[in-house]
Amino acid sequence: MKRIVILVLLIMVMGCSNDDDTTQSNCDFDTVVNAEQYLNAPSDQLFITSISIENSCLEINFSSSGCSGDSWEIKLIDSEDIFESNPPQRNLRLSLKNEELCDAVITKELTFDISNLQVEGNQVLLNITNSDKNVLYAY
């Protein structure tokens, strides 16, 4: 009987883990997947310098005119379309609402969680439509 109790306790301890299956993203923002917002969200002028992926965070370095950039409203928006090619492709747009009336050029580097953009297979090409940049997201 003691062996059964010990065995059951051992199974329970080994089966339990302190790791939480809901992993928190280390990215600055989530990516919005919404066709209407993709078409209608603000599109104030910006210039994308570079994009890269680290884990499931898309890092975008961009600039725009302004005073400080503190009041900017920024979203990365997916069009909801998945283009069947090899690899599949998705279109995204970096939306900027900029009401700052200064002539300084402000540069920011932000990260966006793109884990919700995964499709069947293990990679997708992300086209940033308001720039000439694209990046392969392998997962």
Side-chain angles (χ1 to χ4, degrees), residues 59-112:
E59 184 176 284
I60 302 179
N61 184 295
F62 69 99
S63 58
S64 185
S65 64
C67 303
S68 66
D70 292 340
S71 68
W72 292 354
E73 293 178 25
I74 302 159
K75 291 182 185 178
L76 182 65
I77 307 168
D78 177 81
S79 69
E80 291 189 63
D81 294 323
I82 300 171
F83 300 96
E84 295 183 25
S85 59
N86 191 16
Q89 298 182 49
R90 298 186 80 130
N91 288 336
L92 298 117
R93 181 169 72 88
L94 186 62
S95 168
L96 171 65
K97 181 178 180 182
N98 179 2
E99 296 179 347
E100 296 182 356
L101 300 175
C102 296
D103 291 331
V105 174
I106 310 298
T107 299
K108 290 193 175 220
E109 186 168 88
L110 300 173
T111 58
F112 299 86

Side-chain angles (χ1 to χ4, degrees), residues 14 22 32:
M14 292 179 68
T22 58
V32 176

Side-chain angles (χ1 to χ4, degrees), residues 39-64:
L39 293 173
N40 299 316
S43 58
D44 291 330
Q45 189 172 15
L46 59 87
F47 177 74
I48 296 175
T49 308
S50 65
I51 58 173
S52 62
I53 296 176
E54 182 70 34
N55 297 320
S56 288
C57 290
L58 180 67
E59 184 176 284
I60 302 179
N61 184 295
F62 69 99
S63 58
S64 185

